[in-house]
């Protein structure tokens, strides 16, 4: 109820701006627009939630990441406006959303779409609801003829070895990922698919709503989402009813998409990624992590301008220690786009004298 109150309050503000055309926007980063309504919604929700639960962590699209606030056992995960482009364009397909995440899993979530008059809510073990009506995902058990919310250009791409069958596609497709997931939860749509990285705030509220409606929400490999990791993001999304979900996973599992947190073997399937927090990992085995930085020739690549001028920050035995050092170094260069820092994970040492290869 606390989460729903906060989200609806922010939604009332955003809807008032939307209706009077107050949707002026700018780019916070290239290709990622933001409006005053996004920032105001963030302030409203944070004031309401953090004011009532000061011991909970905070993770939001419009708030700078802080390890102190987002890497806690219990954290609010908020998207002040999901579907900012629709909001800017005068389209109703946008939503205010939030979830409560405990030990990596969403335990309740609210997605409020004020321009559509829709409020979705779910709590673990208590079902999913739309405006007070119980939700249930569809019983569709075949791909042919299913109702899919996904990028048409992705589905028709010539790289697929086996072409996708005929399906009913959402036209137009909502820009807001959370709305797509909620529409799957209603059973009116059978599935939604996104084969690209999604942030936790794009998924957390939708995941608990889909699951409490009887469906399944995972990565395209069938991995259950684990939220609030060191990098709050997932490699992809499939949300569908229980019968259709495994068929979709089987079709797309060959697509190689990195797990944002799986730095050593990024393309491996993991049933439960980062089961133990980095801060709690026992230092029983030394894993060499180097933190280095330098000026790039082109920010779209990873070729350094001058290797002789590389900044060697240090060598660290764990990812956590390396991450902290990387973040400190990276924050010093926020105004210099070409100066970038990286973590290099070394998994093999070569001994030129003996020719031995030592696996670390």
């Amino acid at each position: 109820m606390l989460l729903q109150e906060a989200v609806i309050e922010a939604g009332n503000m955003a809807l008032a701006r939307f209706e009077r055309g107050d949707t002026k926007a700018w780019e916070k980063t290239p290709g990622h627009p933001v409006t005053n309504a996004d920032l105001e919604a963030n302030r409203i929700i944070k004031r309401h939630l953090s004011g009532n639960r000061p011991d909970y962590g905070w993770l939001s699209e419009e708030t700078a990441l802080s390890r102190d606030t987002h890497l806690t056992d219990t954290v609010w995960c908020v998207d002040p406006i999901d579907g900012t482009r629709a909001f800017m364009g005068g389209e109703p397909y946008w939503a205010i959303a939030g979830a409560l995440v405990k030990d990596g899993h969403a335990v309740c979530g609210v997605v409020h779409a004020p321009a559509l008059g829709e409020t979705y809510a779910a709590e673990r073990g208590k079902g999913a609801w739309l405006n007070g009506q119980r939700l249930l995902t569809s019983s569709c058990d075949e791909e042919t003829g299913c109702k899919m919310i996904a990028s048409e250009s992705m589905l028709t791409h010539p790289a697929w070895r086996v072409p996708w069958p005929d399906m009913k596609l959402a036209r137009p497709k909502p820009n807001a990922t959370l709305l797509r997931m909620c529409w799957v939860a209603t059973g009116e749509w059978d599935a939604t698919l996104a084969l690209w990285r999604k942030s936790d705030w794009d998924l957390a509220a939708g995941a608990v709503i889909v699951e409490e409606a009887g469906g399944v929400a995972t990565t395209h490999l069938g991995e259950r989402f684990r939220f609030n990791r060191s990098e709050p993001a997932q490699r992809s999304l499939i949300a569908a009813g229980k019968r259709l979900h495994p068929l979709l996973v089987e079709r797309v599992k060959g697509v190689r998409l990195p797990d944002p947190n799986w730095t050593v073997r990024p393309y491996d399937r993991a049933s439960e990624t980062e089961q133990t927090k980095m801060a709690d990992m026992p230092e029983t085995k030394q894993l060499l992590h180097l933190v280095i930085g330098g000026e790039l020739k082109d920010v779209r690549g990873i070729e350094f301008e001058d290797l002789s001028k590389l900044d060697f920050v240090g060598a660290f035995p764990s990812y956590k220690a390396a991450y902290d050092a990387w973040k400190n170094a990276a924050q010093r260069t926020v105004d210099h786009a070409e100066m970038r820092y990286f973590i290099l994970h070394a998994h093999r040492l070569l001994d030129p004298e003996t020719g031995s290869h030592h696996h670390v």
Side-chain angles (χ1 to χ4, degrees):
M1 291 304 299
L2 178 66
L3 178 60
Q4 185 162 311
E5 289 168 2
V7 167
I8 289 178
E9 181 183 346
N12 291 339
M13 176 279 304
L15 181 61
R17 286 179 177 266
F18 178 77
E19 290 178 337
R20 66 174 182 261
D22 182 8
T23 59
K24 183 180 179 180
W26 63 96
E27 287 195 336
K28 52 186 175 182
T29 57
H32 293 85
V34 66
T35 69
N36 285 326
D38 291 84
L39 303 181
E40 181 62 20
N42 190 68
R43 286 191 289 268
I44 290 172
I45 298 172
K46 191 173 193 298
R47 182 180 67 245
H48 197 100
L49 297 182
S50 296
N52 284 279
R53 298 291 187 273
D55 53 332
Y56 287 7
W58 178 259
L59 175 61
S60 167
E61 180 176 15
E62 306 304 343
T63 305
L65 281 184
S66 166
R67 291 178 67 83
D68 294 335
T69 60
H70 96 264
L71 290 181
T72 58
D73 292 337
T74 305
V75 59
W76 297 112
C77 183
V78 172
D79 194 340
I81 295 184
D82 184 28
T84 298
R85 292 183 186 279
F87 180 84
M88 293 161 42
E91 300 174 0
Y93 304 111
W94 52 273
I96 317 286
L100 184 64
V101 172
K102 290 188 177 182
D103 297 322
H105 302 294
V107 297
C108 71
V110 176
V111 177
H112 176 51
L116 296 174
E118 298 174 354
T119 302
Y120 301 85
E123 186 174 353
R124 187 69 64 194
K126 297 185 179 181
W129 309 81
L130 165 58
N131 297 344
Q133 298 296 313
R134 187 70 181 262
L135 297 179
L136 188 65
T137 53
S138 81
S139 57
C140 177
D141 59 0
E142 59 179 320
E143 296 164 295
T144 301
C146 79
K147 293 178 287 185
M148 170 71 75
I149 310 174
S151 168
E152 190 167 356
S153 61
M154 175 188 70
L155 296 175
T156 57
H157 196 282
W160 294 105
R161 293 181 180 178
V162 178
W164 285 81
D166 290 333
M167 297 177 291
K168 178 183 178 181
L169 300 180
R171 299 187 180 98
K173 173 176 59 68
N175 175 244
T177 302
L178 287 165
L179 271 183
R180 299 180 208 170
M181 298 176 76
C182 287
W183 289 3
V184 170
T186 67
E188 294 182 11
W189 290 90
D190 299 314
T192 186
L193 170 67
L195 295 179
W196 50 85
R197 169 181 167 137
K198 289 291 181 183
S199 297
D200 284 2
W201 44 79
D202 295 323
L203 302 172
V208 66
I209 290 170
V210 168
E211 290 164 2
E212 284 300 305
V216 185
T218 68
T219 72
H220 76 294
L221 300 183
E223 304 158 313
R224 186 184 182 193
F225 293 133
R226 187 168 184 87
F227 299 117
N228 197 33
R229 298 182 294 169
S230 300
E231 181 68 20
Q234 314 295 323
R235 66 174 109 211
S236 53
L237 163 69
I238 293 180
K242 286 185 177 178
R243 295 182 178 182
L244 182 59
H245 184 272
L247 303 180
L248 297 176
V249 170
E250 182 64 27
R251 177 176 286 273
V252 302
K253 66 182 183 181
V255 177
R256 287 170 60 83
L257 299 171
D259 182 334
N261 282 268
W262 201 235
T263 59
V264 183
R265 296 182 295 279
Y267 298 104
D268 284 4
R269 183 183 185 278
S271 58
E272 190 85 2
T273 53
E274 200 175 282
Q275 297 181 39
T276 304
K277 294 180 181 177
M278 290 293 182
D280 301 330
M281 290 287 282
E283 301 296 342
T284 57
K285 181 178 180 181
Q286 186 183 60
L287 297 174
L288 186 60
H289 298 76
L290 308 178
V291 179
I292 60 173
E295 187 173 345
L296 298 178
K297 288 186 175 180
D298 188 325
V299 293
R300 294 168 296 182
I302 55 171
E303 186 177 358
F304 291 106
E305 189 70 41
D306 187 346
L307 289 175
S308 68
K309 295 181 179 179
L310 280 184
D311 179 16
F312 177 71
V313 178
F316 305 90
S318 70
Y319 177 81
K320 178 184 181 300
Y323 180 92
D324 289 340
W326 166 83
K327 189 170 184 179
N328 288 335
Q331 286 178 338
R332 296 196 304 266
T333 61
V334 293
D335 296 325
H336 186 356
E338 288 75 21
M339 187 68 181
R340 298 287 298 278
Y341 283 84
F342 301 90
I343 297 176
L344 174 64
H345 176 86
H347 66 278
R348 187 170 64 177
L349 300 180
L350 308 181
D351 186 340
E353 185 175 359
T354 65
S356 298
H357 291 203
H358 304 279
H359 288 272
V360 180

